[in-house]
Amino acid sequence: MQREETDGIVISCDFCGTDWDEVKPMVEGHRGAVLCLTCLMHAVEQIEVPETSDADSTTGKFTCPLCRRENIPADVPRWSHPNHGDAIACEDCIRQADGAFGKDPDVDYVSRLDD
Ligand SMILES: [Zn+2]
Ligand SMILES: [Zn+2]
């Protein structure tokens, strides 16, 4: 996400809240939503369909800040940072980010999710 500071716009990861240092690899989703490489690495390891008790009390549906899709069904695998549980990345975005980081010659990352 982006926020205005006195010295300009600061970009930070929507999932862990880390401010971007202009070096750290990140992928951008819609409307300035950002996922950093560290979060992606956690996401590919921890992506899962939550137990029903963890999901939203009535529907389990969620909104992904990266693709802006709403009402994503409860059985779609997703990932959220343990400290920022309200930002939830959907499987599609995690796969896309995995592919994007994997293809980027400047990023030391090997794609881990098969298409
Ligand atoms: Zn992050
Ligand atoms: Zn998404």
Side-chain angles (χ1 to χ4, degrees), residues 28 33-34 42 44 56 63 70 88 92 99 102 106-108:
E28 206 179 331
V34 166
H42 290 301
V44 296
D56 176 82
T63 299
E70 296 177 358
I88 303 171
D92 285 354
D106 296 329
V107 178
D108 182 21

Side-chain angles (χ1 to χ4, degrees), residues 13-18 24 26 34-40 79 81:
C13 174
D14 284 61
F15 298 89
C16 63
T18 303
K24 193 173 174 138
M26 288 187 160
V34 166
L35 173 72
C36 75
L37 180 59
T38 309
C39 284
L40 185 268
W79 176 82
H81 192 283

Side-chain angles (χ1 to χ4, degrees), residues 6-77:
T6 44
D7 50 353
I9 289 180
V10 176
I11 296 173
S12 62
C13 174
D14 284 61
F15 298 89
C16 63
T18 303
D19 286 348
W20 188 41
D21 55 8
E22 302 190 22
V23 176
K24 193 173 174 138
M26 288 187 160
V27 291
E28 206 179 331
H30 287 249
R31 299 198 201 175
V34 166
L35 173 72
C36 75
L37 180 59
T38 309
C39 284
L40 185 268
M41 289 165 97
H42 290 301
V44 296
E45 281 175 10
Q46 299 166 0
I47 185 170
E48 63 179 4
V49 177
E51 304 286 328
T52 44
S53 58
D54 291 336
D56 176 82
S57 54
T58 48
T59 63
K61 292 180 178 176
F62 65 104
T63 299
C64 171
L66 291 168
C67 59
R68 308 298 300 187
R69 271 201 297 161
E70 296 177 358
N71 293 317
I72 301 174
D75 61 352
V76 172

